[in-house]
PDB file of all heavy atoms in Angstrom:
ATOM      1  N   SER G   1      81.794  37.939 -16.943  1.00 98.00           N
ATOM      2  CA  SER G   1      81.478  36.644 -16.275  1.00 98.00           C
ATOM      3  C   SER G   1      82.521  35.632 -16.595  1.00 98.00           C
ATOM      4  O   SER G   1      83.187  35.606 -17.527  1.00 98.00           O
ATOM      5  CB  SER G   1      80.024  36.229 -16.693  1.00 98.00           C
ATOM      6  OG  SER G   1      79.051  37.214 -16.344  1.00 98.00           O
ATOM      7  N   ASP G   2      82.463  34.617 -15.671  1.00 98.00           N
ATOM      8  CA  ASP G   2      83.407  33.480 -15.810  1.00 98.00           C
ATOM      9  C   ASP G   2      82.813  32.412 -16.770  1.00 98.00           C
ATOM     10  O   ASP G   2      83.643  31.682 -17.420  1.00 98.00           O
ATOM     11  CB  ASP G   2      83.763  32.870 -14.426  1.00 98.00           C
ATOM     12  CG  ASP G   2      84.389  33.770 -13.573  1.00 98.00           C
ATOM     13  OD1 ASP G   2      85.299  34.604 -13.994  1.00 98.00           O
ATOM     14  OD2 ASP G   2      84.094  33.734 -12.359  1.00 98.00           O
ATOM     15  N   VAL G   3      81.616  32.294 -16.763  1.00 98.00           N
ATOM     16  CA  VAL G   3      80.893  31.419 -17.646  1.00 98.00           C
ATOM     17  C   VAL G   3      79.534  31.903 -18.057  1.00 98.00           C
ATOM     18  O   VAL G   3      78.883  32.601 -17.241  1.00 98.00           O
ATOM     19  CB  VAL G   3      80.689  29.956 -17.047  1.00 98.00           C
ATOM     20  CG1 VAL G   3      79.733  30.054 -15.844  1.00 98.00           C
ATOM     21  CG2 VAL G   3      80.241  28.880 -18.028  1.00 98.00           C
ATOM     22  N   VAL G   4      79.093  31.720 -19.362  1.00 98.00           N
ATOM     23  CA  VAL G   4      77.926  32.237 -19.706  1.00 98.00           C
ATOM     24  C   VAL G   4      76.851  31.072 -20.140  1.00 98.00           C
ATOM     25  O   VAL G   4      77.240  30.258 -20.918  1.00 98.00           O
ATOM     26  CB  VAL G   4      78.077  33.104 -21.113  1.00 98.00           C
ATOM     27  CG1 VAL G   4      76.784  33.777 -21.484  1.00 98.00           C
ATOM     28  CG2 VAL G   4      79.129  34.163 -20.741  1.00 98.00           C
ATOM     29  N   ILE G   5      75.753  31.132 -19.442  1.00 98.00           N
ATOM     30  CA  ILE G   5      74.704  30.200 -19.686  1.00 98.00           C
ATOM     31  C   ILE G   5      73.669  30.954 -20.615  1.00 98.00           C
ATOM     32  O   ILE G   5      72.986  31.722 -20.329  1.00 98.00           O
ATOM     33  CB  ILE G   5      73.983  29.830 -18.506  1.00 98.00           C
ATOM     34  CG1 ILE G   5      75.019  29.250 -17.357  1.00 98.00           C
ATOM     35  CG2 ILE G   5      72.944  28.696 -18.726  1.00 98.00           C
ATOM     36  CD1 ILE G   5      75.868  28.088 -17.674  1.00 98.00           C
ATOM     37  N   VAL G   6      73.677  30.363 -21.905  1.00 98.00           N
ATOM     38  CA  VAL G   6      72.779  31.038 -22.895  1.00 98.00           C
ATOM     39  C   VAL G   6      71.503  30.213 -22.934  1.00 98.00           C
ATOM     40  O   VAL G   6      71.604  29.033 -23.278  1.00 98.00           O
ATOM     41  CB  VAL G   6      73.454  31.159 -24.246  1.00 98.00           C
ATOM     42  CG1 VAL G   6      72.527  31.949 -25.250  1.00 98.00           C
ATOM     43  CG2 VAL G   6      74.798  31.860 -24.038  1.00 98.00           C
ATOM     44  N   THR G   7      70.309  30.800 -22.881  1.00 98.00           N
ATOM     45  CA  THR G   7      69.113  30.089 -22.737  1.00 98.00           C
ATOM     46  C   THR G   7      68.223  30.533 -24.005  1.00 98.00           C
ATOM     47  O   THR G   7      67.593  31.569 -23.983  1.00 98.00           O
ATOM     48  CB  THR G   7      68.302  30.443 -21.490  1.00 98.00           C
ATOM     49  OG1 THR G   7      68.156  31.818 -21.343  1.00 98.00           O
ATOM     50  CG2 THR G   7      69.054  29.914 -20.315  1.00 98.00           C
ATOM     51  N   LEU G   8      68.224  29.697 -25.020  1.00 98.00           N
ATOM     52  CA  LEU G   8      67.551  30.104 -26.342  1.00 98.00           C
ATOM     53  C   LEU G   8      66.463  29.088 -26.631  1.00 98.00           C
ATOM     54  O   LEU G   8      66.449  28.003 -26.058  1.00 98.00           O
ATOM     55  CB  LEU G   8      68.624  30.193 -27.448  1.00 98.00           C
ATOM     56  CG  LEU G   8      69.768  31.143 -27.250  1.00 98.00           C
ATOM     57  CD1 LEU G   8      70.676  31.141 -28.511  1.00 98.00           C
ATOM     58  CD2 LEU G   8      69.360  32.470 -26.920  1.00 98.00           C
ATOM     59  N   GLY G   9      65.803  29.311 -27.668  1.00 98.00           N
ATOM     60  CA  GLY G   9      64.787  28.355 -28.092  1.00 98.00           C
ATOM     61  C   GLY G   9      63.488  28.952 -28.611  1.00 98.00           C
ATOM     62  O   GLY G   9      63.480  30.019 -29.401  1.00 98.00           O
ATOM     63  N   GLU G  10      62.363  28.546 -28.206  1.00 96.00           N
ATOM     64  CA  GLU G  10      61.119  29.026 -28.583  1.00 96.00           C
ATOM     65  C   GLU G  10      60.185  29.249 -27.398  1.00 96.00           C
ATOM     66  O   GLU G  10      60.357  28.633 -26.349  1.00 96.00           O
ATOM     67  CB  GLU G  10      60.434  27.981 -29.444  1.00 96.00           C
ATOM     68  CG  GLU G  10      61.094  27.766 -30.812  1.00 96.00           C
ATOM     69  CD  GLU G  10      60.392  26.749 -31.634  1.00 96.00           C
ATOM     70  OE1 GLU G  10      60.090  25.588 -31.094  1.00 96.00           O
ATOM     71  OE2 GLU G  10      60.072  27.051 -32.756  1.00 96.00           O
ATOM     72  N   LEU G  11      59.236  30.113 -27.497  1.00 94.00           N
ATOM     73  CA  LEU G  11      58.231  30.341 -26.498  1.00 94.00           C
ATOM     74  C   LEU G  11      57.363  29.135 -26.517  1.00 94.00           C
ATOM     75  O   LEU G  11      57.159  28.402 -27.613  1.00 94.00           O
ATOM     76  CB  LEU G  11      57.462  31.593 -26.730  1.00 94.00           C
ATOM     77  CG  LEU G  11      58.208  32.862 -26.856  1.00 94.00           C
ATOM     78  CD1 LEU G  11      57.157  34.004 -27.159  1.00 94.00           C
ATOM     79  CD2 LEU G  11      58.992  33.193 -25.591  1.00 94.00           C
ATOM     80  N   SER G  12      56.620  28.806 -25.343  1.00 93.00           N
ATOM     81  CA  SER G  12      55.829  27.625 -25.396  1.00 93.00           C
ATOM     82  C   SER G  12      54.596  27.680 -26.401  1.00 93.00           C
ATOM     83  O   SER G  12      54.210  26.715 -26.937  1.00 93.00           O
ATOM     84  CB  SER G  12      55.273  27.328 -23.998  1.00 93.00           C
ATOM     85  OG  SER G  12      54.473  28.370 -23.606  1.00 93.00           O
ATOM     86  N   VAL G  13      54.215  28.849 -26.754  1.00 91.00           N
ATOM     87  CA  VAL G  13      53.126  29.067 -27.738  1.00 91.00           C
ATOM     88  C   VAL G  13      53.606  28.794 -29.123  1.00 91.00           C
ATOM     89  O   VAL G  13      52.739  28.692 -30.094  1.00 91.00           O
ATOM     90  CB  VAL G  13      52.403  30.433 -27.662  1.00 91.00           C
ATOM     91  CG1 VAL G  13      51.739  30.596 -26.377  1.00 91.00           C
ATOM     92  CG2 VAL G  13      53.497  31.579 -27.897  1.00 91.00           C
ATOM     93  N   MET G  14      54.974  28.636 -29.312  1.00 91.00           N
ATOM     94  CA  MET G  14      55.422  28.309 -30.613  1.00 91.00           C
ATOM     95  C   MET G  14      55.497  26.809 -30.765  1.00 91.00           C
ATOM     96  O   MET G  14      55.804  26.313 -31.935  1.00 91.00           O
ATOM     97  CB  MET G  14      56.849  28.937 -30.795  1.00 91.00           C
ATOM     98  CG  MET G  14      56.911  30.455 -30.748  1.00 91.00           C
ATOM     99  SD  MET G  14      58.575  30.998 -30.702  1.00 91.00           S
ATOM    100  CE  MET G  14      58.303  32.796 -31.040  1.00 91.00           C
ATOM    101  N   ASP G  15      55.310  26.002 -29.826  1.00 90.00           N
ATOM    102  CA  ASP G  15      55.224  24.624 -29.913  1.00 90.00           C
ATOM    103  C   ASP G  15      53.870  24.117 -29.439  1.00 90.00           C
ATOM    104  O   ASP G  15      53.730  23.607 -28.235  1.00 90.00           O
ATOM    105  CB  ASP G  15      56.347  24.055 -28.921  1.00 90.00           C
ATOM    106  CG  ASP G  15      57.721  24.328 -29.461  1.00 90.00           C
ATOM    107  OD1 ASP G  15      58.204  23.609 -30.308  1.00 90.00           O
ATOM    108  OD2 ASP G  15      58.284  25.313 -28.926  1.00 90.00           O
ATOM    109  N   PHE G  16      52.876  24.379 -30.179  1.00 85.00           N
ATOM    110  CA  PHE G  16      51.509  24.232 -29.807  1.00 85.00           C
ATOM    111  C   PHE G  16      50.584  23.930 -30.915  1.00 85.00           C
ATOM    112  O   PHE G  16      50.975  23.889 -32.130  1.00 85.00           O
ATOM    113  CB  PHE G  16      51.123  25.531 -29.102  1.00 85.00           C
ATOM    114  CG  PHE G  16      50.017  25.586 -28.123  1.00 85.00           C
ATOM    115  CD1 PHE G  16      50.025  24.765 -27.060  1.00 85.00           C
ATOM    116  CD2 PHE G  16      48.991  26.436 -28.354  1.00 85.00           C
ATOM    117  CE1 PHE G  16      48.918  24.701 -26.192  1.00 85.00           C
ATOM    118  CE2 PHE G  16      47.916  26.516 -27.449  1.00 85.00           C
ATOM    119  CZ  PHE G  16      47.926  25.615 -26.313  1.00 85.00           C
ATOM    120  N   GLU G  17      49.328  23.614 -30.636  1.00 88.00           N
ATOM    121  CA  GLU G  17      48.372  23.519 -31.626  1.00 88.00           C
ATOM    122  C   GLU G  17      48.290  24.734 -32.490  1.00 88.00           C
ATOM    123  O   GLU G  17      48.329  25.842 -31.944  1.00 88.00           O
ATOM    124  CB  GLU G  17      46.980  23.143 -31.119  1.00 88.00           C
ATOM    125  CG  GLU G  17      45.973  22.816 -32.176  1.00 88.00           C
ATOM    126  CD  GLU G  17      44.707  22.360 -31.556  1.00 88.00           C
ATOM    127  OE1 GLU G  17      44.675  21.914 -30.366  1.00 88.00           O
ATOM    128  OE2 GLU G  17      43.620  22.465 -32.278  1.00 88.00           O
ATOM    129  N   TYR G  18      48.166  24.582 -33.824  1.00 84.00           N
ATOM    130  CA  TYR G  18      48.056  25.751 -34.703  1.00 84.00           C
ATOM    131  C   TYR G  18      49.442  26.441 -34.698  1.00 84.00           C
ATOM    132  O   TYR G  18      49.334  27.790 -34.850  1.00 84.00           O
ATOM    133  CB  TYR G  18      46.840  26.534 -34.349  1.00 84.00           C
ATOM    134  CG  TYR G  18      46.363  27.538 -35.355  1.00 84.00           C
ATOM    135  CD1 TYR G  18      46.706  27.345 -36.781  1.00 84.00           C
ATOM    136  CD2 TYR G  18      45.487  28.550 -35.130  1.00 84.00           C
ATOM    137  CE1 TYR G  18      46.118  28.199 -37.718  1.00 84.00           C
ATOM    138  CE2 TYR G  18      44.984  29.421 -36.084  1.00 84.00           C
ATOM    139  CZ  TYR G  18      45.335  29.169 -37.336  1.00 84.00           C
ATOM    140  OH  TYR G  18      44.889  30.055 -38.437  1.00 84.00           O
ATOM    141  N   SER G  19      50.529  25.955 -34.474  1.00 88.00           N
ATOM    142  CA  SER G  19      51.755  26.556 -34.358  1.00 88.00           C
ATOM    143  C   SER G  19      52.856  25.893 -35.148  1.00 88.00           C
ATOM    144  O   SER G  19      54.009  25.602 -34.662  1.00 88.00           O
ATOM    145  CB  SER G  19      52.135  26.689 -32.798  1.00 88.00           C
ATOM    146  OG  SER G  19      51.390  27.591 -32.222  1.00 88.00           O
ATOM    147  N   SER G  20      52.577  25.601 -36.312  1.00 91.00           N
ATOM    148  CA  SER G  20      53.584  24.969 -37.235  1.00 91.00           C
ATOM    149  C   SER G  20      54.573  26.013 -37.653  1.00 91.00           C
ATOM    150  O   SER G  20      54.220  27.194 -37.754  1.00 91.00           O
ATOM    151  CB  SER G  20      52.947  24.197 -38.400  1.00 91.00           C
ATOM    152  OG  SER G  20      52.090  23.179 -37.902  1.00 91.00           O
ATOM    153  N   ARG G  21      55.696  25.466 -38.210  1.00 93.00           N
ATOM    154  CA  ARG G  21      56.713  26.524 -38.726  1.00 93.00           C
ATOM    155  C   ARG G  21      57.075  26.132 -40.127  1.00 93.00           C
ATOM    156  O   ARG G  21      57.114  24.904 -40.439  1.00 93.00           O
ATOM    157  CB  ARG G  21      57.937  26.486 -37.880  1.00 93.00           C
ATOM    158  CG  ARG G  21      57.749  27.019 -36.456  1.00 93.00           C
ATOM    159  CD  ARG G  21      59.045  27.238 -35.741  1.00 93.00           C
ATOM    160  NE  ARG G  21      59.821  28.151 -36.334  1.00 93.00           N
ATOM    161  CZ  ARG G  21      61.094  28.513 -36.054  1.00 93.00           C
ATOM    162  NH1 ARG G  21      61.775  27.829 -35.031  1.00 93.00           N
ATOM    163  NH2 ARG G  21      61.754  29.367 -36.636  1.00 93.00           N
ATOM    164  N   SER G  22      57.692  27.087 -40.841  1.00 93.00           N
ATOM    165  CA  SER G  22      58.203  26.799 -42.128  1.00 93.00           C
ATOM    166  C   SER G  22      59.656  26.577 -41.998  1.00 93.00           C
ATOM    167  O   SER G  22      60.260  25.984 -43.032  1.00 93.00           O
ATOM    168  CB  SER G  22      57.957  28.004 -43.130  1.00 93.00           C
ATOM    169  OG  SER G  22      58.638  29.171 -42.567  1.00 93.00           O
ATOM    170  N   SER G  23      60.300  26.915 -41.020  1.00 94.00           N
ATOM    171  CA  SER G  23      61.850  26.664 -40.763  1.00 94.00           C
ATOM    172  C   SER G  23      62.059  26.271 -39.443  1.00 94.00           C
ATOM    173  O   SER G  23      61.173  26.319 -38.622  1.00 94.00           O
ATOM    174  CB  SER G  23      62.542  27.979 -41.281  1.00 94.00           C
ATOM    175  OG  SER G  23      62.569  28.870 -40.049  1.00 94.00           O
ATOM    176  N   LEU G  24      63.309  25.851 -39.250  1.00 95.00           N
ATOM    177  CA  LEU G  24      63.778  25.499 -37.843  1.00 95.00           C
ATOM    178  C   LEU G  24      64.828  26.433 -37.235  1.00 95.00           C
ATOM    179  O   LEU G  24      65.449  26.158 -36.301  1.00 95.00           O
ATOM    180  CB  LEU G  24      64.389  24.006 -37.853  1.00 95.00           C
ATOM    181  CG  LEU G  24      63.398  22.965 -38.442  1.00 95.00           C
ATOM    182  CD1 LEU G  24      64.182  21.547 -38.420  1.00 95.00           C
ATOM    183  CD2 LEU G  24      62.155  22.887 -37.525  1.00 95.00           C
ATOM    184  N   ASN G  25      64.812  27.648 -37.803  1.00 96.00           N
ATOM    185  CA  ASN G  25      65.776  28.624 -37.419  1.00 96.00           C
ATOM    186  C   ASN G  25      65.397  29.140 -35.917  1.00 96.00           C
ATOM    187  O   ASN G  25      64.273  29.163 -35.559  1.00 96.00           O
ATOM    188  CB  ASN G  25      65.731  29.871 -38.284  1.00 96.00           C
ATOM    189  CG  ASN G  25      66.316  29.586 -39.733  1.00 96.00           C
ATOM    190  OD1 ASN G  25      66.968  28.566 -39.881  1.00 96.00           O
ATOM    191  ND2 ASN G  25      65.826  30.324 -40.694  1.00 96.00           N
ATOM    192  N   LEU G  26      66.424  29.519 -35.164  1.00 97.00           N
ATOM    193  CA  LEU G  26      66.274  30.059 -33.945  1.00 97.00           C
ATOM    194  C   LEU G  26      65.403  31.465 -34.107  1.00 97.00           C
ATOM    195  O   LEU G  26      65.886  32.316 -34.917  1.00 97.00           O
ATOM    196  CB  LEU G  26      67.479  30.461 -33.168  1.00 97.00           C
ATOM    197  CG  LEU G  26      68.249  29.220 -32.601  1.00 97.00           C
ATOM    198  CD1 LEU G  26      69.751  29.627 -32.222  1.00 97.00           C
ATOM    199  CD2 LEU G  26      67.467  28.766 -31.365  1.00 97.00           C
ATOM    200  N   PRO G  27      64.223  31.583 -33.577  1.00 96.00           N
ATOM    201  CA  PRO G  27      63.382  32.785 -33.921  1.00 96.00           C
ATOM    202  C   PRO G  27      64.099  34.040 -33.374  1.00 96.00           C
ATOM    203  O   PRO G  27      64.800  34.122 -32.461  1.00 96.00           O
ATOM    204  CB  PRO G  27      62.145  32.579 -33.010  1.00 96.00           C
ATOM    205  CG  PRO G  27      62.134  31.106 -32.754  1.00 96.00           C
ATOM    206  CD  PRO G  27      63.528  30.667 -32.800  1.00 96.00           C
ATOM    207  N   GLY G  28      63.780  35.093 -34.186  1.00 96.00           N
ATOM    208  CA  GLY G  28      64.259  36.429 -33.791  1.00 96.00           C
ATOM    209  C   GLY G  28      65.841  36.539 -33.990  1.00 96.00           C
ATOM    210  O   GLY G  28      66.407  35.871 -34.928  1.00 96.00           O
ATOM    211  N   LYS G  29      66.375  37.375 -33.161  1.00 97.00           N
ATOM    212  CA  LYS G  29      67.858  37.566 -33.235  1.00 97.00           C
ATOM    213  C   LYS G  29      68.723  36.741 -32.302  1.00 97.00           C
ATOM    214  O   LYS G  29      69.743  37.129 -31.775  1.00 97.00           O
ATOM    215  CB  LYS G  29      68.171  39.021 -33.049  1.00 97.00           C
ATOM    216  CG  LYS G  29      67.517  39.977 -34.135  1.00 97.00           C
ATOM    217  CD  LYS G  29      67.988  41.417 -33.896  1.00 97.00           C
ATOM    218  CE  LYS G  29      67.493  42.260 -35.025  1.00 97.00           C
ATOM    219  NZ  LYS G  29      67.880  43.672 -34.904  1.00 97.00           N
ATOM    220  N   GLN G  30      68.174  35.471 -31.899  1.00 98.00           N
ATOM    221  CA  GLN G  30      68.773  34.680 -30.962  1.00 98.00           C
ATOM    222  C   GLN G  30      70.267  34.265 -31.455  1.00 98.00           C
ATOM    223  O   GLN G  30      71.102  34.171 -30.695  1.00 98.00           O
ATOM    224  CB  GLN G  30      68.036  33.447 -30.648  1.00 98.00           C
ATOM    225  CG  GLN G  30      66.688  33.878 -29.865  1.00 98.00           C
ATOM    226  CD  GLN G  30      66.002  32.629 -29.384  1.00 98.00           C
ATOM    227  OE1 GLN G  30      66.130  32.153 -28.351  1.00 98.00           O
ATOM    228  NE2 GLN G  30      65.132  32.072 -30.364  1.00 98.00           N
ATOM    229  N   LEU G  31      70.257  33.908 -32.764  1.00 98.00           N
ATOM    230  CA  LEU G  31      71.602  33.425 -33.301  1.00 98.00           C
ATOM    231  C   LEU G  31      72.549  34.561 -33.263  1.00 98.00           C
ATOM    232  O   LEU G  31      73.791  34.387 -32.890  1.00 98.00           O
ATOM    233  CB  LEU G  31      71.439  32.847 -34.697  1.00 98.00           C
ATOM    234  CG  LEU G  31      72.644  32.325 -35.369  1.00 98.00           C
ATOM    235  CD1 LEU G  31      73.351  31.238 -34.584  1.00 98.00           C
ATOM    236  CD2 LEU G  31      72.365  31.826 -36.793  1.00 98.00           C
ATOM    237  N   GLU G  32      72.174  35.718 -33.661  1.00 98.00           N
ATOM    238  CA  GLU G  32      73.070  36.878 -33.623  1.00 98.00           C
ATOM    239  C   GLU G  32      73.478  37.123 -32.104  1.00 98.00           C
ATOM    240  O   GLU G  32      74.755  37.395 -31.840  1.00 98.00           O
ATOM    241  CB  GLU G  32      72.309  38.189 -33.949  1.00 98.00           C
ATOM    242  CG  GLU G  32      73.142  39.435 -33.949  1.00 98.00           C
ATOM    243  CD  GLU G  32      72.359  40.741 -34.334  1.00 98.00           C
ATOM    244  OE1 GLU G  32      71.273  40.515 -34.886  1.00 98.00           O
ATOM    245  OE2 GLU G  32      72.867  41.760 -33.907  1.00 98.00           O
ATOM    246  N   LEU G  33      72.833  36.944 -31.108  1.00 98.00           N
ATOM    247  CA  LEU G  33      73.130  37.100 -29.731  1.00 98.00           C
ATOM    248  C   LEU G  33      74.204  36.010 -29.411  1.00 98.00           C
ATOM    249  O   LEU G  33      75.219  36.378 -28.769  1.00 98.00           O
ATOM    250  CB  LEU G  33      71.963  36.980 -28.799  1.00 98.00           C
ATOM    251  CG  LEU G  33      72.107  36.881 -27.341  1.00 98.00           C
ATOM    252  CD1 LEU G  33      72.841  38.256 -26.790  1.00 98.00           C
ATOM    253  CD2 LEU G  33      70.823  36.561 -26.625  1.00 98.00           C
ATOM    254  N   LEU G  34      73.941  34.777 -29.817  1.00 98.00           N
ATOM    255  CA  LEU G  34      74.856  33.671 -29.462  1.00 98.00           C
ATOM    256  C   LEU G  34      76.173  33.850 -30.246  1.00 98.00           C
ATOM    257  O   LEU G  34      77.234  33.623 -29.522  1.00 98.00           O
ATOM    258  CB  LEU G  34      74.119  32.348 -30.048  1.00 98.00           C
ATOM    259  CG  LEU G  34      74.952  31.133 -29.683  1.00 98.00           C
ATOM    260  CD1 LEU G  34      75.089  30.899 -28.180  1.00 98.00           C
ATOM    261  CD2 LEU G  34      74.224  29.918 -30.317  1.00 98.00           C
TER     262      LEU G  34
END
């Protein structure tokens, strides 16, 4: 490709009631992909 649009982050259920986190890392292997 000429340009790559990488779409990373969290699922909406990860930003929700009863969905606190212990870290701010990109979940899963997203950083590896990036």
Side-chain angles (χ1 to χ4, degrees):
S1 299
D2 298 320
V3 64
V4 185
I5 311 298
V6 185
T7 57
L8 306 181
E10 297 179 305
L11 305 176
S12 61
V13 294
M14 295 174 172
D15 294 277
F16 201 53
E17 183 171 345
Y18 201 17
S19 293
S20 299
R21 292 192 62 187
S22 65
S23 80
L24 301 179
N25 296 335
L26 285 164
K29 295 185 177 182
Q30 292 184 98
L31 181 56
E32 178 185 342
L33 173 65
L34 184 62

